[in-house]
Amino acid sequence: MDTKVNLAEKLSRLDAPFQPGIVGTLNDYKLAVVKVHGEFVWHKHDDTDDFFLVLSGHLTIQLRDRDVELSPGELFVVPRGVEHRPVADEEAHVLLIERRGTPNTGDYTTAAPRRIV
Amino acid sequence: MDTKVNLAEKLSRLDAPFQPGIVGTLNDYKLAVVKVHGEFVWHKHDDTDDFFLVLSGHLTIQLRDRDVELSPGELFVVPRGVEHRPVADEEAHVLLIERRGTPNTGDYTTAAPRRIV
């Protein structure tokens, strides 16, 4: 990546919710934007933390024992091994940062395909 | 970090420009906010890329051959080894993501002290 990334412009290229679009890399991490609308699946990542920064809308990250409510400009890092489910009643736009090769569902068989936008 | 982070609230705890405040971690990376006002020093990181996301204001990342102009919602990753200088005529607020132990000036002898906010 040798040019700047406008996150809103990248998000406008996405159609469906829960289909991340990769916008860049940071060392061995991928930077991705995603639209969240409705309920994702419960999942966890055993070997990596999971970064969420809300860009627009409101995102709930459900944990087994509580909900984390995020508004624009708020971030939350789900610790490795912790089950979570992202949920949004209305469309929310989110920046994700994950180690390369991390399946978004925590499972390669159900993960969204890798897509660069 | 087991609570959410409101970036604007964290930024309000910072006084001086170019003194990052660590707000969380992602695996072995630190998440930090910083106020940029004026000119930072020219520097590079030989072993890590350098992530900048503008939260408010306008940031120029000077490279030796061009300037990258960033507005809120825009990010740029300076590739490892590339000399750069962040500059802002008026105060800009920025999210930084760097591998733990990365000195902000590229040099441990001149780096800002590690500070958690």
Side-chain angles (χ1 to χ4, degrees):
Chain A
M1 180 171 62
D2 62 355
T3 59
K4 72 176 180 181
V5 174
N6 183 299
L7 295 173
E9 189 276 322
K10 294 293 191 183
L11 277 152
S12 73
R13 303 184 190 190
L14 300 179
D15 301 318
F18 303 118
Q19 301 290 322
I22 298 171
V23 302
T25 59
L26 173 69
N27 298 325
D28 57 338
Y29 282 71
K30 59 187 177 187
L31 313 174
V33 289
V34 69
K35 292 178 175 177
V36 176
H37 194 182
E39 298 176 344
F40 199 52
V41 295
W42 282 101
H43 69 287
K44 63 188 171 77
H45 308 282
D46 283 327
D47 57 356
T48 183
D49 302 336
D50 209 6
F51 171 103
F52 297 83
L53 170 63
V54 174
L55 303 168
S56 71
H58 296 276
L59 174 69
T60 301
I61 299 178
Q62 297 180 334
L63 307 176
R64 289 298 188 187
D65 62 346
R66 64 191 169 102
D67 290 349
V68 178
E69 306 282 355
L70 299 178
S71 295
E74 295 184 330
L75 69 82
F76 184 69
V77 178
V78 180
R80 62 185 64 194
V82 172
E83 284 189 293
H84 58 283
R85 180 170 73 158
V87 173
D89 291 338
E90 298 183 9
E91 185 172 283
H93 294 174
V94 180
L95 176 67
L96 306 174
I97 303 177
E98 294 174 328
R99 195 178 279 147
R100 201 174 292 159
T102 303
N104 68 328
T105 58
D107 178 346
Y108 287 102
T109 63
T110 58
R114 184 173 179 280
R115 176 185 174 198
I116 296 171
V117 293
Chain B
M1 178 171 62
D2 61 356
T3 58
K4 72 177 180 181
V5 173
N6 182 298
L7 296 172
E9 189 276 322
K10 293 294 191 184
L11 277 152
S12 74
R13 302 185 190 191
L14 301 180
D15 300 318
F18 304 118
Q19 301 290 322
I22 298 171
V23 301
T25 59
L26 172 69
N27 297 325
D28 57 337
Y29 283 72
K30 59 186 177 188
L31 314 173
V33 289
V34 69
K35 293 178 174 176
V36 177
H37 194 182
E39 298 176 345
F40 199 50
V41 294
W42 280 101
H43 69 286
K44 63 188 172 79
H45 308 283
D46 284 328
D47 56 357
T48 183
D49 301 337
D50 208 5
F51 172 102
F52 296 84
L53 170 62
V54 173
L55 302 169
S56 71
H58 296 276
L59 174 69
T60 301
I61 299 178
Q62 296 180 333
L63 307 176
R64 287 299 188 188
D65 62 345
R66 64 193 169 102
D67 289 350
V68 178
E69 305 284 355
L70 299 178
S71 294
E74 294 184 331
L75 70 82
F76 183 68
V77 178
V78 180
R80 64 185 62 196
V82 172
E83 284 189 294
H84 58 285
R85 180 169 72 157
V87 173
D89 292 338
E90 299 183 7
E91 185 174 281
H93 294 173
V94 180
L95 176 67
L96 305 174
I97 304 178
E98 294 174 328
R99 196 178 279 149
R100 200 174 293 161
T102 303
N104 69 328
T105 57
D107 179 346
Y108 288 101
T109 63
T110 57
R114 184 173 179 278
R115 176 184 174 197
I116 297 171
V117 291

